[in-house]
Amino acid sequence: MTKARIGVTGLAVMGRNLARNLARHGHPVAVHNRTAARTKALIEEYGDEGTFIPAETPEEFVASLERPRRLVIMVKAGAPTDAVIEEFAPLLEPGDMIVDGGNAHFADTRRREAALRERGLHFVGTGISGGEEGALHGPSIMPGGSAESYEALGPLLEDIAAKVDGTPCCTHVGPDGAGHFVKMVHNGIEYADMQLIAESYDLLRHAAGLSPAEIAEVFRTWNTGRLESYLIEITAEVLAHTDAATGRPFVDVVLDQAEQKGTGRWTVQTALDLGIPVSGIAEAVFARSVSGHAELRRAARNLPGPQNDVRYLSGFADDVEQALYASKVIAYAQGFHQIQAASAEYGWGIDLAKMATIWRGGCIIRARFLDRIRAAYEADPRTPTLLTDDHFAEAVGAAQDAWRRVVATAAQLGIPAPGFSSALAYYDSLRAERLPAALTQGQRDFFGAHTYRRVDREGSFHTLWSGDRSEVEA
Ligand code: 6PG
């Protein structure tokens, strides 16, 4: 009987589409689902797409896999993933591998990888980005795990991944939880990107007075230039869409409370632990949170706002394009800084240029722009920030006047733009020769004797605030 080269258990849409993608590429794939009806439905509907080997039980599923066994689990993150691991691990033999293709928290992946390594098994936490369509037609794939497991898995995953200029959007990210970490930051950047697009729409709608259909055209135009990306492309589609039930613009009938499954929140929590400022991602997470506080918003609805109702018609859309581009560079620079810091913290050895390379296609943040980021990290893998790369320094510098006008306009008109304004604040903070943090240090020393350092000599100091205010070496 033909042995399967790889197996997928968990045949909800993502798992089913991943199995179909593997089969379409000529790889015999074993398929299993706790509810056998799902497996049956897959074979009935798509059985002609390639060689599927259905299994009703975990034992049957494992027996159908060639050695070393490659078993992909596509189930909900958290406890369901642990349950499936426990169901299959006892059936596997040393050298076999379990691939977790869900959006697991990287700390869980590190724990699982260590535990399964003890049992001679490889555990490969793998980010898979691109949604259901990506899983079927070519996702961006971010596997972690051991180098040995990538030898067995890499050719398969690269075969089914999206390709850009013939290069697969898949590479070995690094050991243990590195893959899921990078996927988490991908999602954090996705949040920031989406927030900046939302603010661009809000400004064009309520400062420039454009209609959703007119704004859709603006986004379509932007998608032919440096902002070309999947998110810009789908934004034009969403804004051009008319609600069939009412004939009104679709965006006007959707409840304005954004939800979130959690990967953006994890990104910010992890960045706080690492001490890396990801203000763009944080503002995006909080903007979704604010939108969900209906009670709070109702209570504050009639708070006084600005009087002037300025209408910027000529040139404002171009200003917003520049503000969007500059703020996007900031968000990506912060995300890559976080990956760089985690790689150093956990000894992952992540190649940032390769991360930009595999994000050029297949994933939700796929964009022409990522090729520039790839070039920047290839030119200087250790650069502390993308912002000092010649291309980005010049582009953001040239955009800053427009960017400042947009932030000022938003403030004057009372249109919330936390993404644009925090990105500008981050840019100006990095540029500043002196920051007001000196005053913060003085305050901390005054009320808590937390000491401070000086600009003119080494050491830590404390001023005797409640005494003669002389300074002592701490
Ligand atoms: C992807 C997507 C995917 C999922 C988001 C939704 O990379 O394919 O990011 O992971 O659609 O995580 O996340 P929220 O519900 O948090 O927006």
Side-chain angles (χ1 to χ4, degrees):
M1 182 186 79
T2 311
K3 285 279 190 183
R5 194 161 303 153
I6 191 167
V8 179
T9 180
L11 298 175
V13 183
M14 282 293 286
R16 184 188 66 198
N17 283 357
L18 204 65
R20 290 177 59 197
N21 188 347
L22 285 158
R24 286 178 172 191
H25 280 81
H27 305 296
V29 51
V31 286
H32 167 268
N33 193 76
R34 187 181 293 281
T35 313
R38 269 228 177 119
T39 313
K40 196 159 167 287
L42 167 62
I43 302 298
E44 276 166 10
E45 222 168 317
Y46 305 108
D48 59 352
E49 290 183 344
T51 308
F52 292 101
I53 303 170
E56 297 230 337
T57 66
E59 292 75 9
E60 211 181 314
F61 181 63
V62 168
S64 68
L65 292 168
E66 73 182 27
R67 295 296 317 279
R69 297 186 184 90
R70 306 167 183 89
L71 190 156
V72 181
I73 56 178
M74 294 296 288
V75 296
K76 278 194 186 323
T81 299
D82 283 314
V84 171
I85 291 170
E86 270 326 298
E87 187 175 20
F88 283 98
L91 306 176
L92 301 176
E93 295 168 88
D96 289 348
M97 52 204 80
I98 296 178
V99 179
D100 175 8
N103 270 338
H105 193 289
F106 81 100
D108 288 339
T109 300
R110 282 168 54 82
R111 165 177 58 81
R112 292 166 180 150
E113 194 272 343
L116 288 170
R117 190 164 4 108
E118 291 294 306
R119 300 160 76 170
L121 301 175
H122 296 282
F123 185 73
V124 186
T126 300
I128 299 177
S129 179
E132 297 157 13
E133 282 308 294
L136 180 60
H137 297 298
S140 169
I141 309 178
M142 297 152 255
S146 62
E148 190 189 338
S149 62
Y150 194 76
E151 274 170 36
L153 280 167
L156 280 167
L157 298 179
E158 291 177 17
D159 195 23
I160 66 166
K163 309 286 185 301
V164 173
D165 307 335
T167 305
C169 294
C170 174
T171 191
H172 183 220
V173 174
D176 60 72
H180 272 147
F181 186 94
V182 162
K183 173 58 166 74
M184 175 190 75
V185 177
H186 162 277
N187 281 31
I189 292 172
E190 173 189 301
Y191 277 46
D193 217 333
M194 291 167 71
Q195 176 62 25
L196 293 170
I197 288 172
E199 291 176 22
S200 302
Y201 153 75
D202 203 13
L203 285 159
L204 291 173
R205 185 86 189 263
H206 299 112
L210 299 185
S211 70
E214 289 169 325
I215 301 170
E217 281 316 304
V218 171
F219 275 95
R220 283 205 175 96
T221 306
W222 289 352
N223 202 40
T224 61
R226 62 185 178 177
L227 285 173
E228 180 193 357
S229 61
Y230 174 70
L231 284 173
I232 293 283
E233 176 193 341
I234 68 167
T235 299
E237 297 307 314
V238 170
L239 289 175
H241 186 54
T242 302
D243 174 52
T246 61
R248 294 174 57 203
F250 169 75
V251 71
D252 288 347
V253 299
V254 175
L255 184 65
D256 63 340
Q257 297 180 21
E259 297 174 78
Q260 48 189 319
K261 289 195 185 66
T263 46
R265 184 170 62 243
W266 292 346
T267 308
V268 179
Q269 289 166 335
T270 306
L272 288 169
D273 292 339
L274 287 166
I276 302 298
V278 291
S279 46
I281 300 170
E283 288 296 351
V285 171
F286 283 129
R288 293 196 187 190
S289 176
V290 165
S291 77
H293 281 276
E295 272 310 294
L296 175 60
R297 291 175 58 192
R298 249 194 305 280
R301 185 72 192 74
N302 296 316
L303 287 173
Q307 294 314 313
N308 57 333
D309 182 14
V310 178
R311 279 281 173 268
Y312 287 75
L313 284 177
S314 64
F316 188 61
D318 291 341
D319 278 359
V320 174
E321 189 276 346
Q322 295 189 65
L324 177 53
Y325 181 79
S327 304
K328 179 173 175 171
V329 174
I330 297 288
Y332 281 67
Q334 292 177 340
F336 275 86
H337 183 196
Q338 181 174 357
I339 295 172
Q340 193 176 48
S343 183
E345 173 77 12
Y346 296 106
W348 284 334
I350 295 176
D351 180 330
L352 295 175
K354 285 194 178 155
M355 295 308 102
T357 301
I358 66 170
W359 283 352
R360 292 182 303 167
C363 61
I364 302 296
I365 64 169
R366 60 183 181 268
R368 175 196 301 192
F369 168 83
L370 278 147
D371 221 18
R372 285 282 186 192
I373 294 177
R374 176 190 55 74
Y377 281 113
E378 279 178 352
D380 180 2
R382 305 181 63 78
T383 180
T385 172
L386 276 175
L387 292 170
T388 53
D389 166 74
D390 291 346
H391 168 79
F392 289 116
E394 195 278 325
V396 174
Q400 66 164 316
D401 291 346
W403 189 10
R404 295 180 191 284
R405 283 195 296 272
V406 168
V407 170
T409 301
Q412 283 164 354
L413 294 181
I415 298 170
F420 282 149
S421 39
S422 68
L424 184 58
Y426 178 82
Y427 181 70
D428 286 336
S429 298
L430 290 189
R431 291 182 325 101
E433 186 169 344
R434 290 279 290 159
L435 285 171
L439 174 58
T440 305
Q441 284 294 83
Q443 293 165 325
R444 292 178 68 247
D445 190 54
F446 189 104
F447 61 66
H450 294 301
T451 76
Y452 53 86
R453 287 173 291 159
R454 294 176 58 95
V455 294
D456 53 7
R457 60 182 192 278
E458 289 300 312
S460 292
F461 303 89
H462 168 57
T463 291
L464 305 174
W465 296 103
S466 50
D468 64 4
R469 303 217 162 174
S470 59
E471 181 178 81
V472 295
E473 189 125 15

